[in-house]
Amino acid sequence: MKRLEGRRILVTGAASGIGQATALRLLDEGAAVVGADISADGLEATRQSAQQAGTAGKLTVRTTDVGDETSVVDGVRTAVEALGGLDSVVNAAGILRAVHTHEMSLAAWNQIIGVNLTGTFLVIREALPALLENPQSAIVNFSSTSAAFAHPYMAAYAASKGGIQAMTHALALEYGKQGLRAVCVAPGSIKSGITDATPGLLPADSDWSLFAKLSPIMPTDLASGGAGMGDPSAVAGVIAMLVSDDGAFISGTEIRIDGGTHA
């Protein structure tokens, strides 16, 4: 199904995990995509996957650091130029650092907030003029189940994702009359670069019993850090729906995609 034929979409975090899966899914459904990420090697891997799928002709990749304002300004501008406009933005870029909150430095806190929350804001700010040229457009932001459910040692990450949810509600109301929809996806128990790295980031004296409620109830065939995980394609499919006409009446809300982890 080519639901997205003719759509022009910017995807951040497109070098790995859910962002990469999303970029490839949107291409498969007919969209023209600019994939942005800080990792040039990861973007090349995304391009190669698109090449194998026969969709690389509609993919442009650009190295962009969402935590740097100048990089975002330049990156969004060149994305709009490459696409000839912009219909949707998917803000998948993000980082995770896990630490005892009483041991977290201000620099580490600011880095997480700066990339996840401020980075999402910067991309949105720069993309809004192009998005608002359309009678219908969409922003899909990445929250997390950590925004509403306890994830130990991840206070800064949870705060950044909660902030993204709150910002998304505000955007939905502020620009709804101009045809812009703003939605959050809140993944949990999905295999990604972040989940693969998490066990190595946790404090050495972590209490693993605190993670007892963070397992999906649905069957999974992937693992990360020893836990059952869903495939990134599960999130990519929801995002494809949200940026298509099938999501035309969805705005100002979160969609939790966690295999029933928090049922």
Side-chain angles (χ1 to χ4, degrees):
M1 180 186 296
K2 300 293 185 181
R3 291 184 293 184
L4 302 176
E5 197 71 48
R7 303 293 175 91
R8 303 156 300 178
I9 305 176
L10 169 62
V11 180
T12 71
S16 65
I18 301 172
Q20 183 182 69
T22 296
L24 295 172
R25 175 61 180 265
L26 301 182
L27 288 165
D28 187 57
E29 295 215 22
V33 174
V34 169
D37 201 285
I38 197 171
S39 171
D41 290 343
L43 288 174
E44 176 58 21
T46 302
R47 190 197 64 77
Q48 291 179 6
S49 294
Q51 186 74 43
Q52 294 172 3
T55 58
K58 289 192 172 184
L59 174 66
T60 302
V61 296
R62 191 185 194 286
T63 305
T64 303
D65 178 2
V66 301
D68 179 84
E69 182 176 16
T70 299
S71 183
V72 172
V73 171
D74 292 342
V76 174
R77 175 180 51 79
T78 57
V80 172
E81 291 173 353
L83 294 169
L86 198 59
D87 298 298
S88 297
V89 172
V90 179
N91 284 301
I95 60 171
L96 171 65
R97 301 289 184 268
V99 65
H100 288 294
T101 303
H102 70 278
E103 296 176 346
M104 172 166 277
S105 68
L106 180 59
W109 174 276
N110 286 340
Q111 181 189 30
I112 295 167
I113 299 298
V115 171
N116 294 354
L117 179 56
T118 306
T120 296
F121 154 70
L122 288 172
V123 173
I124 291 170
R125 185 191 70 185
E126 294 305 305
L128 273 170
L131 291 170
L132 294 175
E133 290 180 3
N134 308 319
Q136 293 181 324
S137 56
I139 294 170
V140 179
N141 292 326
F142 267 60
S143 182
S144 161
T145 53
S146 67
F149 302 94
H151 286 49
Y153 316 115
M154 303 178 194
Y157 182 78
S160 71
K161 295 302 184 176
I164 288 171
Q165 277 193 192
M167 178 171 62
T168 301
H169 283 263
L171 292 167
L173 181 60
E174 184 174 351
Y175 296 103
K177 289 184 177 180
Q178 293 165 265
L180 176 72
R181 294 183 295 109
V183 190
C184 270
V185 291
S189 303
I190 301 292
K191 183 176 174 63
S192 68
I194 284 179
T195 62
D196 288 344
T198 298
L201 297 173
L202 290 170
D205 61 345
S206 294
D207 180 353
W208 289 95
S209 70
L210 299 179
F211 293 90
K213 295 182 178 180
L214 300 181
S215 296
I217 61 175
M218 298 297 293
T220 59
D221 56 7
L222 297 175
S224 185
M229 292 281 164
D231 193 278
S233 62
V235 182
V238 175
I239 293 172
M241 177 274 292
L242 289 171
V243 298
S244 76
D245 290 341
D246 292 333
F249 208 55
I250 303 174
S251 190
T253 191
E254 298 80 50
I255 299 178
R256 180 157 46 92
I257 311 164
D258 68 351
T261 297
H262 299 289

